[in-house]
Amino acid sequence: MAAEIQPQPQARKPCLLSKIDAFQEVVSTAVIIPKEDGVISVSEDRTIRVWLKRDSGQYWPSIYHTMPSSSSCMSFNPETRRLSVGMDTGSICEFVLSEDYNKMTPARTYQAHQGRVTVVLFVLEMEWLLSTGQDKNFTWHCSESGQQLGTYRTAAWVSGLQFDVETRHAFVGDQSGQVTILKLEQDICSLVTTFKGHTGNVTALCWDPVTRVLFSGSSDHSIIMWDIGGRKGTAIELQGHNDKVQGLCYASHTRQLISCSSDGSIVIWNMDVTRQETPEWLDSDSCQKCEQPFFWNFKQMWDSKKIGLRQHHCRKCGQAVCGKCSSKRSTIPLMGFEFEVRVCDSCHESISDEDRAPTATFHDSKHSIVYMHYEPTTGNLLTSGTDKIVKLWDMTPVVS
């Protein structure tokens, strides 16, 4: 049912601790139970399971509960042991787990949405249950009374949700690629601002209340770091995945960002460096280096009797250049480009070997990740894959 993997602590990479592979369908959400050798999983196979590590080293289900429909998401609060499970039907079912994690008692059901619940988030400090659904509604309920306090209609269905307790700001990422910031009062919701930086849908959000920085991951393979607290409006791009970003977590004590992707990679980003914003791409009718016309510039093509060239952009300076003037490639880690990208010839000469020093490390999980959860108190990471396997990793060799 579950196999124990012997770690290799001498390697500076995540150490695979255990696998749990007794699922009939993909595990949509799973969390590590802090201070316990345990895991809670909800799956498309309609099951909620609590796994506890036995003396043998294997994980066995202490709770196996079947729901009436597929479970799409969940939120677990370890202080109250309250488990809130979002359903395919639009309802949210709440349970309380016993102290020994061997029993699960139904507490309340919220009729929160008209479509599949996409994210659910319990906020203990406010006694609020926040949720989003494919019905394009963001709602919040009072977890003491069960009453709905308010709702907000989003532009597209939401796939990422975070909340800041201090300011009562909700961060909502949706399928249009937009991030919306909402201010919540007891029963009033007001729009603060919106960010649009992704060309694909937002797939993951991570909020750090200490540095007041929001990270968003997308199906466009990129991560954007939004400086909310500094009020600078800066947006730093991180390019290090070959497929959609499926999970983000910020380890504030080490200033490292952990990201996981459908390509199976686990990337550890060093955020304790001075990063640079990527420049805006400039518009021009001709190459800003050799002044050759681009193919739509018919007048200059006619006047110079030259065939128009295809337009490209240098990722370092943003200038519009032709292929001949941007024939080189380079990594620019401080701009977030951990892979080689197109740069103009003059910028290529200005990039030193020191500038090319990586600011991220890359690790292969050996499965296509659909969900991740990091538990900072133990330094362990959980990944769930399309192979219907949950893996537990010791991240202390790389997050320290």
Side-chain angles (χ1 to χ4, degrees):
M1 183 174 287
E4 183 176 23
I5 311 298
Q6 294 299 321
Q8 297 178 339
Q10 71 274 13
R12 293 283 298 173
K13 62 181 182 180
C15 298
L16 182 59
L17 299 173
S18 294
K19 291 181 183 179
I20 305 174
D21 57 0
F23 302 98
Q24 300 300 314
E25 297 291 342
V26 172
V27 173
S28 50
T29 315
V31 296
I32 299 167
I33 305 173
K35 301 179 183 178
E36 296 278 345
D37 280 327
V39 169
I40 304 172
S41 66
V42 300
S43 172
E44 296 292 343
D45 64 9
R46 300 191 294 121
T47 63
I48 301 173
R49 307 189 209 188
V50 177
W51 306 82
L52 297 180
K53 192 174 184 180
R54 304 305 186 191
D55 293 338
S56 64
Q58 293 184 325
Y59 283 86
W60 291 90
S62 61
I63 296 174
Y64 186 108
H65 181 82
T66 303
M67 300 294 287
S69 66
S70 295
S71 305
S72 53
C73 56
M74 74 164 166
S75 176
F76 176 66
N77 182 266
E79 293 180 48
T80 60
R81 299 187 306 282
R82 187 182 313 204
L83 180 66
S84 308
V85 181
M87 306 297 295
D88 206 36
T89 57
S91 61
I92 299 171
C93 299
E94 209 161 65
F95 301 89
V96 176
L97 290 134
S98 61
E99 288 188 33
D100 60 5
Y101 290 95
N102 283 311
K103 185 180 179 183
M104 190 169 74
T105 305
R108 177 179 282 119
T109 298
Y110 304 83
Q111 301 302 327
H113 297 277
Q114 297 300 313
R116 180 182 172 95
V117 181
T118 54
V119 190
V120 61
L121 185 62
F122 173 65
V123 183
L124 177 61
E125 294 86 348
M126 317 300 301
E127 289 289 348
W128 284 352
L129 185 70
L130 315 181
S131 64
T132 60
Q134 287 189 352
D135 58 359
K136 300 182 183 179
N137 281 331
F138 162 69
T139 66
W140 67 106
H141 288 76
C142 174
S143 60
E144 291 182 306
S145 66
Q147 295 297 310
Q148 180 175 303
L149 298 174
T151 185
Y152 179 87
R153 184 75 172 173
T154 56
W157 68 268
V158 175
S159 41
L161 176 64
Q162 292 281 278
F163 184 74
D164 182 59
V165 173
E166 183 182 343
T167 63
R168 298 188 182 185
H169 283 152
F171 305 96
V172 177
D174 64 40
Q175 292 289 296
S176 72
Q178 180 173 281
V179 177
T180 303
I181 302 181
L182 304 171
K183 172 78 170 181
L184 298 189
E185 300 299 341
Q186 184 64 19
D187 55 1
I188 300 171
C189 177
S190 56
L191 175 65
V192 178
T193 189
T194 58
F195 298 131
K196 188 66 186 286
H198 291 291
T199 57
N201 55 294
V202 176
T203 51
L205 287 180
C206 174
W207 168 247
D208 178 48
V210 178
T211 59
R212 308 203 67 74
V213 165
L214 180 73
F215 298 94
S216 61
S218 171
S219 60
D220 64 12
H221 311 175
S222 74
I223 300 163
I224 299 180
M225 182 182 81
W226 309 92
D227 185 357
I228 307 293
R231 300 183 182 277
K232 302 171 186 175
T234 52
I236 306 296
E237 285 190 50
L238 303 174
Q239 301 279 355
H241 289 288
N242 290 311
D243 208 333
K244 66 178 176 179
V245 179
Q246 294 283 45
L248 294 169
C249 183
Y250 184 68
S252 56
H253 62 293
T254 61
R255 292 182 62 85
Q256 289 171 292
L257 178 72
I258 305 169
S259 61
C260 294
S261 168
S262 295
D263 61 13
S265 63
I266 301 172
V267 182
I268 316 297
W269 304 84
N270 176 17
M271 303 308 296
D272 197 20
V273 293
T274 303
R275 294 189 176 272
Q276 305 164 21
E277 278 193 282
T278 51
E280 293 286 339
W281 284 4
L282 302 177
D283 292 325
S284 179
D285 290 329
S286 57
C287 175
Q288 294 181 292
K289 296 296 182 182
C290 69
E291 299 184 349
Q292 289 269 47
F294 292 133
F295 63 83
W296 61 82
N297 189 350
F298 300 112
K299 184 179 186 305
Q300 190 178 343
M301 286 166 55
W302 178 265
D303 293 343
S304 62
K305 300 296 189 288
K306 291 178 179 176
I307 298 174
L309 304 174
R310 184 182 174 189
Q311 176 184 274
H312 300 282
H313 284 92
C314 172
R315 299 306 192 269
K316 190 173 191 301
C317 68
Q319 286 191 317
V321 290
C322 67
K324 186 177 179 181
C325 294
S326 59
S327 59
K328 304 290 199 316
R329 301 288 185 276
S330 177
T331 60
I332 321 174
L334 292 179
M335 280 188 166
F337 296 113
E338 294 289 336
F339 303 149
E340 288 192 342
V341 290
R342 181 185 294 273
V343 292
C344 66
D345 293 352
S346 56
C347 281
H348 189 270
E349 292 175 8
S350 71
I351 302 173
S352 66
D353 290 340
E354 186 178 344
D355 293 333
R356 293 188 178 93
T359 62
T361 58
F362 297 81
H363 312 278
D364 186 7
S365 70
K366 294 188 170 21
H367 67 168
S368 177
I369 297 171
V370 298
Y371 187 83
M372 64 158 272
H373 174 248
Y374 176 68
E375 178 48 56
T377 59
T378 61
N380 289 346
L381 177 76
L382 177 151
T383 59
S384 169
T386 56
D387 54 4
K388 306 174 188 175
I389 294 175
V390 168
K391 295 183 179 182
L392 291 166
W393 308 83
D394 177 12
M395 299 299 289
T396 53
V398 287
V399 182
S400 58

